[in-house]
Amino acid sequence: MKEKILKLNDIKNTNLQTVLEILLHSDGLSRTEISRKTGCGNTTVTRAVKELLKRGILIPGEKIVQQHGRPQQTLKFNPAGPSLIGISLEAERINGVVTDLRGEVRERKEVIFRQSPSRKEFLAAVSLVIRALKEKTKGRFVGIGAAAYGSYSGPKFKLENAAALPVLNGFELKPFLDCEAECEVTICGHMAAKMAFLTRMFPQFNTGAVMLISSGSGIGSLISEQGRFLFVRNNQSGEFGHTISVPDGIPCGCGRCGCLETVASIRSLLQNCRTSLGKPDLSFENLCCLFQSGDSRTVREVKVAASFLGMAIANQLNSYPMDQLIITGRMLELGNDFQSMLEEKINYMVFPAVKSGLSMHFIRSDYDNSLARGAAIFAERTADVLCSVD
């Protein structure tokens, strides 16, 4: 195998990306502070900063008065600088945003479906959102990302297991999005978008081994190591929600029986509570109120779901010991009692040696536009943004 030789342009872009990454997490730094954080020499940092200023990514900030020598000029991101576009494909809506390189929202466009859409209606809504967002950027965007649910395979990102909207099964997403955007679109799963968003908003999740679990209508997981996402084939994070919890149990939308999602998701919990309470139109919001008020039948059903979910998470941790565990998703809207049930089950099932080095984080708030913002951040992380800014 031939050894790869770094060309001058490769080194230059690596230096630019290093400086950019530091400023993404800490705005308002001087060149001296950047040099110290990156380990690069002052000359290298000065050249990189000059290029980023020229490209409109950075602008001068405040000057810091020193006890000795000249005041130091700080640098910050240009609020009118290059944009990213992020789109979240969801069964209930198409949500899109224009963000800065940090993932902060500048513009937003959304199409909500009042009823389950046909494939044609769904794709028409995606096209509408893409066009609207591109117009808002006035052509100055450096990357576009899309977060898709379900599984996908192959270079054309053929959708599979789209249980929430089966009409999309078999659809090749990549050619469609590239054509509508008139550029290459970076596609990721919902879990990758969530992790990209959380690691940008909470820098502490960029260190060590981190496992993200999201429980809502579906249940997903993703692992990162020092901020790098670990994927399996086809850029997927696996099918945690379709691991078997009850052999030969309830049929699942994936075609198998007894999956975790049949006993521990919002859909399964709602179905069980509707049957138990005799309320076929019970909403998840009302279910949360009943649980928080102490309704015995609702509490019983929630305990069962928490037990299955906690056991599944503990089994994952026993197989892959982590430094940090993040649990998020709409199931946390059930409140503190559900969180306590889940935490108690995990702590009971996980090995003591695994538990001793683990910090657990429950992130209850579903940040506004988090999936779309995560898709934009994922595009920035994976695309050659700096080469696109010229």
Side-chain angles (χ1 to χ4, degrees):
M1 180 181 294
K2 291 184 178 180
E3 183 179 354
K4 183 178 179 180
I5 299 175
L6 284 176
K7 299 178 182 178
L8 288 176
N9 282 341
D10 296 331
I11 297 172
K12 176 183 175 182
N13 282 324
T14 298
N15 293 335
L16 289 173
Q17 190 68 56
T18 300
V19 172
L20 178 62
E21 192 65 30
I22 290 294
L23 285 166
L24 281 172
H25 296 292
S26 50
D27 204 359
L29 296 177
S30 67
R31 289 170 174 80
T32 301
E33 290 172 314
I34 295 170
S35 179
R36 186 169 59 250
K37 285 179 175 289
T38 60
C40 296
N42 289 331
T43 302
T44 299
V45 169
T46 297
R47 287 173 179 168
V49 165
K50 183 179 179 180
E51 188 67 26
L52 292 170
L53 287 167
K54 176 183 175 183
R55 298 186 186 197
I57 296 175
L58 300 181
I59 57 174
E62 298 176 352
K63 288 188 176 181
I64 304 174
V65 178
Q66 306 293 307
Q67 288 185 342
H68 304 285
R70 295 182 301 174
Q72 290 192 356
Q73 179 77 63
T74 61
L75 300 151
K76 63 180 183 179
F77 273 93
N78 182 359
S83 298
L84 296 162
I85 293 176
I87 301 170
S88 174
L89 310 182
E90 305 169 45
E92 304 83 10
R93 66 174 184 169
I94 306 298
N95 183 32
V97 294
V98 175
T99 77
D100 62 16
L101 294 184
R102 273 204 176 100
E104 297 297 334
V105 177
R106 290 174 171 171
E107 303 282 354
R108 178 182 174 186
K109 178 66 177 178
E110 182 179 61
V111 174
I112 298 175
F113 303 119
R114 299 189 181 276
Q115 57 187 10
S116 185
S118 66
R119 178 184 288 190
K120 182 178 180 181
E121 291 169 334
F122 186 90
L123 298 179
V126 175
S127 299
L128 175 67
V129 170
I130 290 175
R131 288 197 303 271
L133 295 177
K134 286 187 66 178
E135 288 177 7
K136 291 178 184 294
T137 68
K138 297 180 173 57
R140 188 165 168 73
F141 69 96
V142 294
I144 177 168
Y149 65 91
S151 304
Y152 43 81
S153 62
K156 294 185 178 180
F157 285 70
K158 181 180 179 181
L159 287 173
E160 300 165 347
N161 191 30
L165 196 60
V167 294
L168 290 181
N169 281 326
F171 182 72
E172 294 179 342
L173 191 59
K174 178 71 172 168
F176 170 77
L177 289 177
D178 287 353
C179 178
E180 294 301 314
E182 298 179 300
C183 64
E184 186 168 358
V185 177
T186 302
I187 302 175
C188 65
H190 278 187
M191 291 304 300
K194 285 187 178 185
M195 185 69 96
F197 175 79
L198 290 172
T199 51
R200 180 58 55 81
M201 297 300 112
F202 302 95
Q204 67 266 32
F205 295 146
N206 284 294
T207 59
V210 181
M211 179 181 290
L212 172 65
I213 301 290
S214 179
S215 180
S217 295
I219 303 174
S221 70
L222 185 69
I223 292 174
S224 70
E225 175 71 31
Q226 303 294 352
R228 294 179 179 273
F229 303 170
L230 305 182
F231 294 114
V232 294
R233 290 196 311 272
N234 305 315
N235 203 29
Q236 287 297 298
S237 54
E239 291 287 359
F240 179 55
H242 295 287
T243 53
I244 302 300
S245 292
V246 183
D248 301 320
I250 300 170
C252 179
C254 72
R256 303 187 306 160
C257 294
C259 293
L260 180 60
E261 289 185 6
T262 68
V263 290
S265 66
I266 286 178
R267 282 183 291 177
S268 65
L269 181 58
L270 268 174
Q271 184 176 347
N272 292 339
C273 286
R274 285 167 178 169
T275 301
S276 176
L277 300 172
K279 297 182 177 182
D281 297 323
L282 180 70
S283 68
F284 182 61
E285 290 74 14
N286 289 335
L287 189 158
C288 291
C289 291
L290 286 170
F291 174 69
Q292 291 161 10
S293 69
D295 178 76
S296 59
R297 287 175 293 182
T298 306
V299 170
R300 183 180 67 244
E301 297 296 346
V302 171
K303 278 185 176 179
V304 171
S307 179
F308 275 113
L309 181 58
M311 180 172 63
I313 294 172
N315 285 335
Q316 288 281 88
L317 291 170
N318 287 333
S319 298
Y320 304 101
M322 294 283 122
D323 299 306
Q324 302 186 77
L325 170 66
I326 308 170
I327 299 177
T328 187
R330 286 197 67 203
M331 283 286 276
L332 295 187
E333 292 177 18
L334 286 163
N336 290 333
D337 287 344
F338 172 75
Q339 179 176 315
S340 297
M341 291 176 183
L342 194 54
E343 188 171 5
E344 182 180 353
K345 187 68 174 182
I346 294 170
N347 285 330
Y348 176 73
M349 297 290 295
V350 78
F351 277 110
V354 174
K355 182 169 61 175
S356 65
L358 177 70
S359 62
M360 204 178 305
H361 309 270
F362 290 86
I363 300 182
R364 189 176 303 175
S365 299
D366 184 12
Y367 290 83
D368 192 28
N369 310 308
S370 60
L371 283 176
R373 291 169 70 183
I377 293 167
F378 189 85
E380 181 268 318
R381 289 174 60 126
T382 57
D384 197 353
V385 172
L386 291 168
C387 289
S388 306
V389 176
D390 289 333

